[in-house]
Amino acid sequence: CSFDLSEHVFASLPQMERGVAKVLGGDPKGNNFLYTNGKSVIIRNIDNPAIADIYTEHPHQVTVAKYAPSGFYIASGDVSGKIRIWDTTQKEHLLKYEYQPFGGKIKDIAWTEDSKRIACVGEGREKFGAVFLWDTGSSVGEIPGHSKIINSVDIKQTRPYRLITGSDDNCGAFFEGPPFKFKFSSTDHSRFVNCVRFSPDGNRFCTAGADGQIFLYDGKTGEKLGALGGAKAHEGGVYAVSWSPDSSQLISASGDKTVKLWDVGTSMALTTFNMGADVMDQQLGCLWQKDHLLSISLSGYINYLDKSNPDRPLRTIKGHSKSIQSLTVHKNTGRAYIYSGSHDGHINILSLGKLRHTGENNCFSGKGHSNLVTKMVVDEADQLVTCSMDDTVRFTSVTKKEYSASNLVKMDVQPKHVSVATGGLTLAVCIGQVVLLKDQKKVFMLDSLDYEPEAGAIHPGGSTAAVGGADGKVHLYSVQGNTLKDEGKSMEAKGPVTDMAYSKDGAYLAVTDEKKVVTVFTVADDYSVKNDFYGHHAKVVTLAWSPDNEHFASGGMDMMVYVWTPYDITYVLASLSTDAHRLHHVSGLAWIDEHTLVTTSHDASIKQWTLKF
């Protein structure tokens, strides 16, 4: 078996935090934009954001990434204070240089226009900023002048060079160089300065603050020229600004849930884009690239703004911004839909396009889960059955696509696993309990068990329920009407059970465990062991059968995905090596068809792999 290595990535959204600005980077040629999520830097095509590339070489959470003006390199900074400078032209993104300008989170990066010097600022322990030569790391100036974290830095893209910073000490600072030397600070803001940016022509710069103000200054002298919008530019804090390519206008993103388009000459707002009324509609980042105006909501959604219709974006890119915990695939009217549930309770619907590697993200309307979604599966009534750490099991119609309070079952304790079978049956495995539901109602409960149940599976025929325990055993129960009857039969796994699933035809039961093994039992042969599968180097956490029952895939904490055939232990069909989701363990597996496998992980991205047998 070989893998079609043109595996496709459905990229994550930016990772967002309330009250914290998100820096969007733009490619000097205007084709791509980039942002960070977890340990990844995501590069997306601005005209077709479905085309994405992910850089995963940072060992710590990455906070900001910026293209060099040459377009050949990207500098990215992380929470440990490391800056990596890497190649953009090759798929491998080879590392050119790595530096540690200070110890602590890097919040912003700026290059000089000749791509030879880099400034970075943030939460250093001994200093809040540094400016150095890109190829040697040697210092070309100091960034003093602030008493608190520096949030933002920019360098004038025309000579003579100037450098500006904005800080939590409510001040902006102005530097001349190189070597860069502190000239003076500005105290016009009454709260944190979140963003400072030079106009592309270098004639002006602006500073934006948590006080809702945006001030304009002369780019060469640093002299104050005025404020945008008079007394206040926004009702809420301003988190980001981005200039138009011709330096005559700029956009600003605010916690008041609007983005404004300003005419710099008159200091007047030309357009106000209203992004919504929910707290998740706060605007924390923006980018003006060519004729695209982008903003980022607290939800992580990326909005393409429409100047002619300010209340409705041209398009909104949805998806996950938090780690993905569960996954399933469902086909409806010939189209495949990938459902994935995240750490914060958000469920994403990715409808795959007719063309290969195309898809559109969406979500259910209404209020859904409020905490981590641990498991999901689609039942015969076309309902997405999900269980969550919010102590509920939900049944959500995949055709209506809206959450409803009447389709929610409150559990006594936290559910961790769900499975379904014909006849409206659902098996929910909870902490210390196994619950049988029929047509969305609890009909039977097993508690006071002598083991801790971890995972469950109902035989597709609905006659048997298998429950895997922390005791390393699989316990069998027969489904009799609305009850579960203990058959007094159990099988041995190799360790505490983590996941289990029957093949679609009900011939086999596969069980994964903490001892790195997958065990397959033959149902018709009184659940005798068909084969044990060894290969994972760490706890196996998830498995999925292919629709034709010929293969199953397993994923583990070792970041590996293996594809097996139940008939032969020596025949590992494929291993998606640590590349599967680099530096993140695999959290979900599902098959679209017998040749297409989907994987999700804590990196918040979804990957689609094509297998050739």
Side-chain angles (χ1 to χ4, degrees):
C1 165
S2 67
F3 262 103
D4 166 8
L5 291 175
S6 65
E7 115 272 5
H8 186 66
V9 178
F10 295 100
S12 65
L13 293 174
Q15 185 172 355
M16 306 303 288
E17 200 182 324
R18 191 167 174 183
V20 180
K22 189 73 186 177
V23 180
L24 274 178
D27 147 27
K29 297 185 180 65
N31 301 327
N32 300 322
F33 65 101
L34 75 169
Y35 54 81
T36 62
N37 185 314
K39 297 172 186 172
S40 307
V41 178
I42 293 104
I43 305 170
R44 295 184 89 155
N45 181 294
I46 200 158
D47 295 314
N48 179 9
I51 301 170
D53 191 7
I54 304 185
Y55 177 78
T56 56
E57 299 296 319
H58 275 274
H60 300 99
Q61 185 187 333
V62 201
T63 40
V64 58
K66 290 275 189 77
Y67 273 93
S70 69
F72 296 134
Y73 293 96
I74 288 171
S76 49
D78 67 27
V79 294
S80 76
K82 278 222 166 48
I83 296 253
R84 291 177 74 91
I85 300 166
W86 40 280
D87 177 90
T88 61
T89 59
Q90 311 290 319
K91 179 93 182 97
E92 292 74 40
H93 298 310
L94 296 172
L95 180 70
K96 186 80 173 166
Y97 302 110
E98 184 177 55
Y99 301 114
Q100 177 107 31
F102 50 79
K105 183 192 290 186
I106 290 175
K107 297 202 72 171
D108 201 6
I109 292 171
W111 292 76
T112 52
E113 47 75 38
D114 60 5
S115 302
K116 291 202 167 87
R117 299 169 193 85
I118 295 174
C120 61
V121 297
E123 293 184 32
R125 285 185 279 279
E126 64 289 346
K127 55 182 179 179
F128 300 120
V131 52
F132 53 89
L133 290 173
W134 88 293
D135 55 352
T136 64
S138 47
S139 173
V140 281
E142 298 290 321
I143 305 186
H146 290 292
S147 58
K148 289 186 180 165
I149 295 162
I150 303 179
N151 295 314
S152 186
V153 64
D154 202 18
I155 296 174
K156 185 153 110 39
Q157 294 297 293
T158 53
R159 290 176 187 271
Y161 288 156
R162 299 289 184 262
L163 184 150
I164 49 171
T165 53
S167 162
D168 272 8
D169 64 8
N170 304 354
C171 296
F174 186 80
F175 302 79
E176 292 179 1
F180 289 97
K181 290 191 174 65
F182 174 77
K183 283 294 175 217
F184 55 83
S185 50
S186 58
T187 54
D188 298 309
H189 288 282
S190 58
R191 294 191 56 201
F192 300 167
V193 183
N194 288 323
C195 185
V196 297
R197 292 292 181 255
F198 276 103
S199 59
D201 64 13
N203 290 339
R204 297 186 185 90
F205 69 87
C206 67
T207 64
D211 54 6
Q213 300 265 40
I214 301 172
F215 294 109
L216 280 176
Y217 303 85
D218 182 278
K220 196 172 168 186
T221 65
E223 178 194 344
K224 185 177 169 186
L225 300 175
L228 294 184
K232 251 190 180 183
H234 282 275
E235 289 307 308
V238 186
Y239 289 102
V241 290
S242 186
W243 289 82
S244 64
D246 68 1
S247 301
S248 70
Q249 298 178 336
L250 61 82
I251 52 173
S252 57
S254 168
D256 67 7
K257 310 176 189 76
T258 69
V259 174
K260 290 189 180 182
L261 168 63
W262 300 92
D263 175 33
V264 177
T266 63
S267 299
M268 302 290 281
L270 300 174
T271 311
T272 298
F273 302 91
N274 293 301
M275 305 308 296
D278 192 80
V279 66
M280 297 310 270
D281 298 318
Q282 291 185 353
Q283 301 300 297
L284 299 180
C286 60
L287 178 70
W288 191 321
Q289 179 134 306
K290 283 192 184 159
D291 45 7
H292 295 289
L293 276 61
L294 268 58
S295 77
I296 302 186
S297 306
L298 175 55
S299 60
Y301 289 177
I302 301 165
N303 312 295
Y304 283 64
L305 306 177
D306 185 352
K307 287 187 204 172
S308 55
N309 186 2
D311 292 337
R312 194 191 168 104
L314 290 165
R315 68 186 298 183
T316 298
I317 310 298
K318 298 182 179 179
H320 285 291
S321 63
K322 303 267 195 332
S323 68
I324 301 173
Q325 305 284 339
S326 50
L327 166 75
T328 193
V329 166
H330 178 60
K331 283 199 169 152
N332 193 355
T333 59
R335 196 172 201 159
Y337 292 85
I338 299 171
Y339 297 90
S340 48
S342 82
H343 186 75
D344 57 355
H346 176 72
I347 294 175
N348 186 67
I349 309 165
L350 172 55
S351 56
L352 296 179
K354 295 278 185 274
L355 293 170
R356 195 158 170 253
H357 296 168
T358 58
E360 197 66 40
N361 286 304
N362 219 320
C363 53
F364 295 111
S365 59
K367 192 161 170 40
H369 287 296
S370 60
N371 205 332
L372 192 150
V373 184
T374 43
K375 205 77 184 166
M376 51 172 58
V377 60
V378 177
D379 67 11
E380 61 183 3
D382 286 349
Q383 297 176 121
L384 182 68
V385 184
T386 53
C387 68
S388 160
M389 282 182 161
D390 62 10
D391 297 353
T392 64
V393 174
R394 280 184 176 271
F395 296 82
T396 311
S397 163
V398 298
T399 45
K400 289 195 189 134
K401 293 190 173 61
E402 60 181 317
Y403 293 113
S404 125
S406 58
N407 300 87
L408 173 147
V409 180
K410 187 94 184 79
M411 309 306 277
D412 300 339
V413 285
Q414 187 177 302
K416 27 189 181 180
H417 205 281
V418 285
S419 59
V420 296
T422 54
L425 291 177
T426 302
L427 184 72
V429 173
C430 310
I431 295 173
Q433 285 184 353
V434 177
V435 181
L436 184 68
L437 299 98
K438 185 163 183 174
D439 302 326
Q440 302 182 32
K441 293 195 171 45
K442 290 191 248 187
V443 293
F444 191 76
M445 184 194 301
L446 290 168
D447 49 14
S448 60
L449 300 162
D450 58 358
Y451 64 96
E452 176 57 41
E454 295 291 347
I458 307 190
H459 190 273
S463 56
T464 306
V467 179
D471 58 355
K473 291 183 177 159
V474 178
H475 305 261
L476 291 182
Y477 301 88
S478 58
V479 181
Q480 300 185 354
N482 289 347
T483 64
L484 294 172
K485 183 167 181 293
D486 188 345
E487 291 295 310
K489 178 174 173 56
S490 65
M491 299 90 73
E492 297 282 339
K494 296 291 181 285
V497 174
T498 54
D499 196 13
M500 57 200 303
Y502 281 99
S503 56
K504 310 283 187 257
D505 60 4
Y508 298 110
L509 173 67
V511 177
T512 63
D513 65 46
E514 286 188 14
K515 293 280 196 270
K516 317 174 204 173
V517 187
V518 187
T519 306
V520 174
F521 300 94
T522 308
V523 173
D525 192 15
D526 201 27
Y527 285 88
S528 64
V529 174
K530 173 80 174 171
N531 276 313
D532 293 323
F533 297 85
Y534 293 86
H536 281 284
H537 306 305
K539 178 161 106 172
V540 192
V541 292
T542 179
L543 83 125
W545 285 91
S546 65
D548 61 1
N549 309 299
E550 292 291 317
H551 309 105
F552 65 92
S554 59
M557 302 282 271
D558 54 2
M559 310 173 212
M560 305 284 277
V561 174
Y562 288 109
V563 180
W564 319 83
T565 173
Y567 317 113
D568 187 350
I569 49 170
T570 57
Y571 192 39
V572 180
L573 289 170
S575 64
L576 287 57
S577 68
T578 42
D579 249 16
H581 290 269
R582 197 180 147 76
L583 301 175
H584 296 82
H585 76 252
V586 178
S587 61
L589 298 168
W591 296 77
I592 293 172
D593 54 45
E594 47 267 35
H595 293 289
T596 316
L597 179 65
V598 178
T599 61
T600 58
S601 105
H602 290 192
D603 64 4
S605 69
I606 298 171
K607 292 197 176 180
Q608 180 180 324
W609 308 80
T610 308
L611 297 104
K612 299 225 176 76
F613 297 119

